[in-house]
Amino acid sequence: MTPALPARRPPVRPRRALLRRARTAVAALAAGLLLLGVPAARAEAAAPPPMKDGFGLTQVGAATGSATNFVITVTTPQVAGEHTIRILLPADYAADPAKRYPVLYFLHGASDNPSDPALAYPALTAAQSMITVIPDGGLRGWYTDWLDQGTAAGAQNWETFHLDQVVPFIDANLRTLTGRRSRAVGGLSMGGFGALHYAQDRPQLFGQVLTMSGANDLSANEMIIRGAVVATLTNVGTVLCGPSNGQPCGLDFGPTVSSDAIFGTPYPVFNADWRWNAADPASRMGLLADTGIAVYTGNGHGSAADMEFWAEGTAKRVKDRLDALHLPYHYVDYGDGAAWGPNCNGGHSAGCWAQDLVDYVPRLEAAFAAA
């Protein structure tokens, strides 16, 4: 009987040939990553850094976005619902694991949400030496713990959420510098009020504060600003929306609540509005004696129909108060915006705020470096 032939085996490639093929594959992968703008050494860092729950915050789902511009979603007993937080990291964050960074907490305006990529203004994403955190402030949270927690909106403890939960959560999960001189708070419109309010309530947390087109005056001297706050609570503007055509109304700020929900009655009768006066940033500027202060405003072309017209009035009152206190500050009133970047019309608009940040971010980074 003819003996069976041994089973044929695939040819064995020389060891050196296998090594050459492996090196070629690695080189091709590295080249591809470089073409995408991702250095080969950082391929493993192409995703957002992991964040651990804590300080009352529970994450919902996975982070979305890139390694340096991403959004997480959290829940907290302090504020009803789910809330997004956008985080902007410097380009070298993953490359230098021993380096720590100062942080800017940037507060958005009414009707905004950090899930909107437009809130990552170019000057913020271009920052080379700091982290920016944009926490959800609600459509009309007004960056405070509401007086009435029993409204249809549910729990509304925004100040507690941000200062007692988000700040330590960020410090625990990212490589931050935690001294007050390495932490800033800034914001626009509603967020401009929030920035001054937080810096005044917690001067031990923030060494720099920025308000852009802010609601800087809640006193009885500025009833228009009070009226704007009340309008967000009572949704009176929804009558101006007309047919929706399936689109949300930009003047619908959520469940309608009482005008008294945040600071009690806004009406200045027998000092019944004392909580509004107590929260008024313009009258509390003395609390910022050891804080870097920046104020930006336009003039709304002098039209009372543009919210910037009223924001300019509050900015001027802040300036007057700072002058009376002999406190240093950086103040820009760009008027009709003609000389303030090609996209600024002097109104209450993103084109002007983007240019504000072009001016402010290098100043803030220099202040952080000096600290």
Side-chain angles (χ1 to χ4, degrees), residues 111-158:
S111 291
D112 283 337
N113 187 293
S115 62
D116 181 358
L119 286 181
Y121 285 90
L124 296 176
T125 58
Q128 297 299 306
S129 61
M130 71 180 190
I131 295 169
T132 299
V133 177
I134 309 174
D136 184 14
L139 299 179
R140 43 81 192 278
W142 287 99
Y143 299 101
T144 192
D145 292 353
W146 288 20
L147 176 66
D148 186 354
Q149 297 290 319
T151 72
Q156 298 288 297
N157 290 312
W158 293 97

Side-chain angles (χ1 to χ4, degrees), residues 156-168:
Q156 298 288 297
N157 290 312
W158 293 97
E159 185 168 354
T160 296
F161 168 42
H162 293 144
L163 303 189
D164 294 336
Q165 296 184 313
V166 174
V167 170

Side-chain angles (χ1 to χ4, degrees), residues 57-80:
L57 302 185
T58 302
Q59 295 174 85
V60 178
T64 60
S66 71
T68 57
N69 183 351
F70 59 94
V71 174
I72 63 171
T73 302
V74 300
T75 60
T76 168
Q78 297 298 330
V79 186

